[in-house]
Amino acid sequence: MDLTSSQKKPEFWISARSRRPEPGVFDCARTAFAWLVTGPHPVALDGRRIRGLPPRPVPLDEVGTTLIAKGCPQETRDAVWTALVTRSRAEGGTWTVACVGLALPVLIPVAAKLTNRFRGEVHDIHAAVLTGFLEALTDVDLTRPAILVRLRWAAYRSGHRALRDALDAAAPVADLGARALGPQDTGGHPDFVLLAAVEAGVLTAAEASLIGDTRFSELPLADAAHARGQTYKATQQARHRAERKLADYLTALREGGATPARRGRTARRMQLQNRPGAEKTRRPVSPSTSNPGVGDRGTRLPARPRPSRSELEPGAVQETSSCD
């Protein structure tokens, strides 16, 4: 059913939706949220309890417009999401739909980013993104800052796992040319690079999250330090160490060098080859040999014994070799 002019879609969806129409679960979430803010009594938050909102009941679509404004303080965003998640956990239903609807401006770009080069069925990956978000609603730490950033990261990880599963699945013969490139071939997007570094054992999940949240999201380093229970300087040094490891990893990949995992396998092979008592399969060339080239090959081999007449078959004619 189309919404009338009095039931128009919330403004904070326009920029996210105009880039790419999203099928499936996000259409359902968008429609469900629109009904929450339709009519004379829309679902609202009590702005008097949240610093940064007007001191009145604030409809959820107006809350969403406030949250995506560039001037909105992080404290206001976290206070709103604390109120939303708390009510979702206590009451479910309406407030869980409210959380999903207000998160669409970050969930839709996550899903689009994961599937923009995937030519298979995207519905399962979009559903995994939403599932990761919903699961994180139940246990995200509301005492730490940047709540939505951490919810988005959980949704991204869930969608990324679904994408990898889809890429690793056996494809029908007729569809062999239609599979997408893996996440490692998606143009080096920061989120993909960080996830690849975690899977390679270069970074821990906490280190990747620290880089992603403070470099590519809007979480200030001071807030990250507070969330980690560290001083600003200690968190800054931790990020610097993580970025150095990431830079070394990317340099090795760019130069065609061995990854840490491959270097580990090479080192283990060398340990096995060099262990005491290991049988040598190659004879080292003597350093005194002045010309170990192919011209000397065969000059020191013993001459092959010439068979006698008795060893020849009856009637066989022995040819005289001119080389001897």
Side-chain angles (χ1 to χ4, degrees):
M1 177 183 297
D2 294 334
L3 300 177
T4 64
S5 59
S6 62
Q7 299 171 342
K8 62 181 180 180
K9 299 175 179 61
E11 293 180 0
F12 70 95
W13 283 340
I14 295 176
S15 59
R17 192 181 182 189
S18 61
R19 288 193 294 267
R20 180 177 177 179
E22 296 296 330
V25 294
F26 296 120
D27 283 333
C28 296
R30 186 182 295 111
T31 300
F33 185 86
W35 282 111
L36 295 184
V37 296
T38 296
H41 303 290
V43 178
L45 282 177
D46 188 352
R48 296 170 298 180
R49 299 184 179 182
I50 299 176
R51 185 177 180 180
L53 293 184
R56 56 175 172 79
V58 184
L60 293 182
D61 54 344
E62 184 179 344
V63 171
T65 302
T66 301
L67 292 179
I68 65 172
K70 291 185 178 180
C72 182
Q74 186 64 47
E75 294 80 3
T76 299
R77 292 172 177 166
D78 287 332
V80 167
W81 277 102
T82 297
L84 291 168
V85 175
T86 300
R87 298 199 67 169
S88 172
R89 292 174 180 176
E91 304 175 34
T94 295
W95 291 100
T96 299
V97 173
C99 289
V100 174
L102 290 172
L104 284 179
V106 298
L107 294 180
I108 289 176
V110 163
K113 185 188 306 178
L114 287 168
T115 58
N116 64 347
R117 296 183 65 183
F118 181 69
R119 288 179 285 174
E121 181 55 65
V122 300
H123 292 282
D124 290 342
I125 298 171
H126 289 184
V129 170
L130 182 56
T131 298
F133 175 82
L134 292 173
E135 290 176 347
L137 282 180
T138 64
D139 56 11
V140 65
D141 188 354
L142 300 180
T143 64
R144 296 171 53 195
I147 295 172
L148 182 58
V149 171
R150 287 180 281 120
L151 290 171
R152 174 195 173 277
W153 184 249
Y156 194 98
R157 287 197 301 267
S158 179
H160 184 266
R161 286 193 297 269
L163 176 61
R164 294 299 297 266
D165 291 342
L167 293 173
D168 292 340
V173 174
D175 190 43
L176 287 178
R179 298 183 68 195
L181 297 175
Q184 64 272 20
D185 299 319
T186 54
H189 190 278
D191 286 337
F192 284 132
V193 172
L194 291 172
L195 286 171
V198 172
E199 292 180 353
V202 176
L203 298 178
T204 65
E207 289 172 332
S209 179
L210 177 62
I211 295 173
D213 293 347
T214 60
R215 292 297 193 189
F216 310 117
S217 298
E218 299 180 358
L219 181 65
L221 189 59
D223 290 344
H226 175 72
R228 292 164 64 92
Q230 295 178 329
T231 64
Y232 180 91
K233 187 66 175 178
T235 304
Q236 187 181 47
Q237 292 174 346
R239 184 177 66 178
H240 178 70
R241 290 192 297 269
E243 289 176 336
R244 287 293 300 272
K245 291 192 290 185
L246 181 62
D248 291 343
Y249 168 71
L250 296 177
T251 300
L253 291 181
R254 182 170 58 250
E255 295 177 352
T259 62
R262 185 178 299 174
R263 288 198 297 267
R265 292 194 296 270
T266 302
R268 286 193 293 273
R269 285 198 298 268
M270 294 181 64
Q271 290 173 358
L272 291 175
Q273 292 173 358
N274 297 330
R275 72 183 188 276
E279 182 180 357
K280 303 299 182 181
T281 58
R282 283 188 176 184
R283 178 177 297 175
V285 177
S286 173
S288 62
T289 303
S290 60
N291 182 22
V294 297
D296 294 336
R297 292 182 182 176
T299 58
R300 298 182 183 179
L301 291 177
R304 180 178 299 176
R306 186 176 299 172
S308 62
R309 288 183 178 275
S310 61
E311 295 174 344
L312 295 173
E313 296 180 1
V317 178
Q318 183 177 359
E319 295 181 356
T320 303
S321 173
S322 62
C323 296
D324 295 335

